Amino acid sequence: MTNAGLIAWAFLGVLGLVFQASLFFKDELAAHQPDLRPALAQLCLWANCKVGPLKQADAVVIDHAAIDQLSSSLDPLDTAASLHWAFEVHLRNSAKVPVATPWIELTLTDAQDQAVMRKVLDLSQWGAPPVMAAGDILPMSLQLSLVNPEVNFVGYRLLTFYP
């Protein structure tokens, strides 16, 4: 094999690596270099993929969270009225680029900080946008109800994540 053949194979190998890296980091490239999005979308047409919003787990922080009971009944036998809760959370995108809106895991805890109930919340079901702009603050207010009236909780933990 001649030098020209080796150079051609090396060039094809480098092109293959660039193609593979572009596909692997397509979301990061599109978020940090928005002018590359059309080229990446065209590349994904060939590779049968999709350029989506950046999913950066540590970019979205919880600025505020609160759980308050909405109503309570004077009748101790009327458990339905006492099981409605208002859940409020403010998420902030601390990144300098747009990121996907995360999901939230809400864990209710007892006095020993043991989990008594977990709930995973897809915020898009409550009208949250799919993408949070850089520096954006997303206030969400939701009404929750407990299925099991015997669950007594004194605290909660929140976790943001991407499915």
Side-chain angles (χ1 to χ4, degrees):
M1 187 175 280
T2 65
N3 284 343
L6 289 175
I7 291 172
W9 279 111
F11 181 71
L12 287 175
V14 169
L15 279 179
L17 286 174
V18 168
F19 177 75
Q20 188 175 12
S22 297
L23 288 177
F24 189 74
F25 296 108
K26 65 186 176 311
D27 298 337
E28 290 86 351
L29 286 170
H32 292 283
Q33 298 291 330
D35 53 330
L36 291 179
R37 185 174 284 275
L40 291 168
Q42 184 65 38
L43 187 66
C44 275
L45 284 176
W46 297 330
N48 195 23
C49 64
K50 181 182 158 198
V51 179
L54 180 62
K55 293 180 178 178
Q56 189 174 348
D58 59 347
V60 180
V61 295
I62 299 169
D63 273 350
H64 166 76
I67 295 180
D68 296 313
Q69 191 171 4
L70 285 178
S71 61
S72 63
S73 175
L74 297 176
D75 182 7
L77 299 176
D78 185 13
T79 58
S82 64
L83 299 178
H84 295 286
W85 300 85
F87 172 58
E88 184 178 346
V89 63
H90 294 188
L91 302 175
R92 179 176 46 88
N93 179 6
S94 62
K96 295 182 190 262
V97 295
V99 297
T101 300
W103 289 31
I104 293 179
E105 179 188 59
L106 169 65
T107 304
L108 301 179
T109 58
D110 61 9
Q112 287 77 35
D113 200 35
Q114 300 297 315
V116 293
M117 189 190 84
R118 283 193 173 99
K119 175 114 176 125
V120 173
L121 304 170
D122 177 7
L123 297 180
S124 67
Q125 293 178 346
W126 282 280
V131 177
M132 295 178 66
D136 199 12
I137 296 176
L138 177 65
M140 296 294 299
S141 295
L142 314 170
Q143 285 191 3
L144 302 174
S145 61
L146 298 176
V147 175
N148 186 358
E150 289 84 35
V151 171
N152 291 321
F153 69 95
V154 293
Y156 62 92
R157 291 189 298 259
L158 293 174
L159 174 71
T160 60
F161 70 99
Y162 293 106

